[in-house]
Amino acid sequence: MGEPASSSRHRGSNLPSLPRLVLLHFGVLLIFTSWAFGGQAPWARQVIVWWGTIGMGLFLFVCLAHRPADGRLHPALRLLWPLWVYDAIIIASCFNPGFREAVREGQVSLVLADPNPWLPSAAVPRLAARELWQFNGIVLSCFNLLLVLHRRQLVRQVLFLIAGNAVVLAVFGTFQQLVRAPGLWFGAVKSPNEHFFATFIYHNHWGAFTLLNLCACLGLLFHYYRRGGHRDVWHSPVLLGAVATLLLATSIPLSTSRSCTVLAAFLLLAALLHLLVRVVRQRRARYEPYAGPVAAIVLAAAVALGGIAYLGRDVIAQRSRLTSEQFTKLTADGTLTARAVLYRDTWHMAAAKPWFGWGLESYARVFRIFNTQRAIEVWVWSPFYAEAHNDWLQSLAEVGFVGTGLLALLVLLPLASVRWRRTQSVIPRYLLAGCGVVLLYAWLEFPFANRVVMLTFCAVFYCAIRYAELDANLADDA
């Protein structure tokens, strides 16, 4: 894609206030959303919609300010054509409602309507429109970073903001967990879920959020270690980065998120191996012994692991017992788990309307038709699912293969636009590793139902793309 934001051929490249304005807008959105219950509270969602609308306005202004001198559209816009098509499909679905409201015994309920079967439809058009508006606000607010960050240092500053905010949240949540607070904000707010952490209502959402930030910390850590230029490691940003990484890593098992703890362990193990290989190569290149430094690094990692295990010993023991009990029950019954049945039923829902799905934000209302899990006793309600606990399957059920494919292209097109062979920095690779892990995790949970996870994912992804572009351009100039 080149370097549109900094090229002298683009008008408005001499607007120093524009990057600051974009960074201010993004910083406010990130900090507010993460501390306002991860954006899950209804009032917080409304604020996100309003503030995201400003981000969309900034996007239009940036595109006009950085338009090429020949009057053509900004070259970065070609990366967003899947979003424009996706928007058109969702907007069209709002004019083809799949359900209608009916009043029965004084209660308003939804009943099947008769939509045009050849066109996309929305179960509840107002909900689909609101969710689409919020989605565009988040995506475009983050895409602005790709447009205006014209130096790698600016990208790193954004990463410091993202990771620093997460570290403060991790410290806050760790103290909250250690004092056994009965609710959010040290018990000031009752949590609707008993497994909460920091300001996040659901521990697995905190886990996904932390995985993204953990990779951002690792990327910055290796960057400053590789760059050198300091007297020793104790007088460099490496030590601070290691402490921040350790704080984030500690928070994941404390949050009781088992799956994210396993994923974080794999990430940290890969980073440790990366560090050991780099140390061995450096020492060999200078004809110096490497056994001592390698042993010191392994010992430090072991001590850090022991510290994490000690702080989270009660939580780890409790979750280990639960895992053992669940595995024993599954082995004894020999039947599908409730989660497997949920996935199967969600797939049946997606297969019923494979092209465009049942409409954005329709899952909680439509899935009742396909839910085969029934109450064991007549006085016990059948389980209700607002989310599929699998973002990929839920996307297929709500927006079909067409909508899900467009969302995938929204990620694949920027990836394909970068000349990765010319990119030498480890920062974009670690950032994309975090994004890839969360996309993998979305097969087991619903991380993207959380607004700040979606916001952080988009920001980290576009920062990775922008940093890789700038790094490749720098290699060309060398």
Side-chain angles (χ1 to χ4, degrees):
M1 189 180 67
E3 194 172 348
S6 60
S7 174
S8 60
R9 293 176 300 172
H10 295 164
R11 294 193 304 237
S13 58
N14 58 344
L15 298 176
S17 62
L18 190 54
R20 290 200 297 268
L21 188 60
V22 168
L23 291 177
L24 175 63
H25 174 268
F26 170 76
V28 171
L29 181 61
L30 172 72
I31 294 173
F32 169 80
T33 307
S34 57
W35 287 88
F37 311 108
Q40 293 299 92
W43 60 269
R45 296 179 186 180
Q46 192 61 45
V47 174
I48 293 170
V49 169
W50 294 337
W51 197 250
T53 303
I54 298 176
M56 289 189 277
L58 279 174
F59 169 77
L60 294 175
F61 182 74
V62 170
C63 289
L64 291 175
H66 292 159
R67 189 172 53 184
D70 57 11
R72 293 179 300 171
L73 292 176
H74 194 286
L77 292 180
R78 67 176 181 269
L79 301 179
L80 289 177
W81 70 259
L83 179 63
W84 312 139
V85 178
Y86 180 82
D87 288 348
I89 291 174
I90 303 303
I91 292 172
S93 72
C94 293
F95 295 95
N96 189 31
F99 288 76
R100 59 181 177 83
E101 292 185 347
V103 180
R104 293 179 179 176
E105 299 180 357
Q107 298 292 328
V108 178
S109 60
L110 293 177
V111 297
L112 283 170
D114 187 24
N116 188 319
W118 302 104
L119 297 176
S121 62
V124 185
R126 60 180 176 81
L127 295 181
R130 186 185 66 184
E131 184 70 16
L132 180 67
W133 193 267
Q134 179 184 256
F135 178 72
N136 277 264
I138 290 175
V139 171
L140 295 180
S141 294
C142 295
F143 194 82
N144 289 339
L145 298 174
L146 185 148
L147 295 178
V148 304
L149 299 180
H150 57 277
R151 288 185 294 132
R152 293 183 302 173
Q153 182 183 7
L154 288 176
V155 182
R156 291 196 296 270
Q157 289 176 1
V158 173
L159 295 177
F160 275 118
L161 170 65
I162 295 172
N165 176 65
V167 170
V168 175
L169 275 167
V171 174
F172 174 82
T174 298
F175 279 112
Q176 185 175 256
Q177 184 75 18
L178 292 178
V179 302
R180 302 182 185 278
L184 300 162
W185 289 96
F186 287 93
V189 179
K190 183 179 179 181
S191 174
N193 191 319
E194 63 174 318
H195 299 298
F196 60 89
F197 190 83
T199 59
F200 284 58
I201 296 172
Y202 187 41
H203 60 166
N204 284 334
H205 286 161
W206 169 260
F209 173 75
T210 309
L211 290 173
L212 289 166
N213 285 281
L214 190 63
C215 287
C217 281
L218 289 171
L220 291 170
L221 183 64
F222 275 99
H223 167 78
Y224 286 104
Y225 173 76
R226 179 183 183 182
R227 190 177 71 172
H230 301 277
R231 187 170 63 186
D232 52 44
V233 70
W234 307 105
H235 297 84
S236 73
V238 173
L239 182 60
L240 179 62
V243 173
T245 303
L246 182 61
L247 290 172
L248 284 174
T250 304
S251 71
I252 298 182
L254 284 176
S255 71
T256 71
S257 177
R258 292 172 291 179
S259 50
C260 288
T261 299
V262 174
L263 292 172
F266 277 112
L267 283 173
L268 292 174
L269 178 59
L272 177 61
L273 293 175
H274 181 198
L275 176 60
L276 292 175
V277 170
R278 183 174 291 276
V279 168
V280 170
R281 287 179 176 175
Q282 288 178 344
R283 303 289 289 191
R284 281 183 171 177
R286 296 195 295 261
Y287 299 101
E288 297 174 352
Y290 57 83
V294 168
I297 292 172
V298 173
L299 178 61
V303 171
L305 178 61
I308 294 174
Y310 177 77
L311 285 175
R313 60 191 183 280
D314 294 336
V315 173
I316 293 173
Q318 176 189 2
R319 301 304 284 179
S320 298
R321 286 194 300 269
L322 178 60
T323 302
S324 178
E325 292 170 1
Q326 290 175 338
F327 182 77
T328 302
K329 185 177 184 300
L330 176 62
T331 304
D333 295 346
T335 57
L336 290 175
T337 64
R339 183 66 65 88
V341 175
L342 173 63
Y343 291 168
R344 182 193 64 190
D345 293 343
T346 302
W347 171 251
H348 290 162
M349 176 180 168
K353 286 193 173 184
W355 292 107
F356 300 108
W358 292 83
L360 191 62
E361 201 67 3
S362 64
Y363 186 84
R365 291 152 186 84
V366 177
F367 182 69
R368 302 176 186 184
I369 303 173
F370 297 90
N371 188 3
T372 61
Q373 299 183 56
R374 295 292 178 259
I376 300 175
E377 304 291 346
V378 295
W379 58 82
V380 180
W381 291 100
S382 299
F384 168 76
Y385 291 99
E387 307 288 345
H389 291 264
N390 184 317
D391 279 337
W392 289 92
L393 283 177
Q394 183 166 335
S395 178
L396 291 175
E398 290 191 343
V399 296
F401 282 88
V402 174
T404 304
L406 290 169
L407 293 177
L409 285 175
L410 199 56
V411 172
L412 295 175
L413 287 181
L415 284 175
S417 70
V418 177
R419 295 167 297 163
W420 291 103
R421 293 184 178 180
R422 305 292 293 170
T423 303
Q424 303 298 322
S425 175
V426 297
I427 287 181
R429 289 175 169 82
Y430 269 98
L431 296 180
L432 292 178
C435 293
V437 168
V438 172
L439 286 174
L440 177 66
Y441 185 54
W443 281 103
L444 303 173
E445 271 294 345
F446 54 109
F448 292 105
N450 182 276
R451 273 64 184 172
V452 76
V453 173
M454 182 188 298
L455 174 66
T456 306
F457 178 92
C458 293
V460 166
F461 177 75
Y462 287 127
C463 281
I465 298 300
R466 188 57 179 154
Y467 202 98
E469 287 179 349
L470 294 172
D471 204 52
N473 291 341
L474 189 64
D476 291 340
D477 295 338

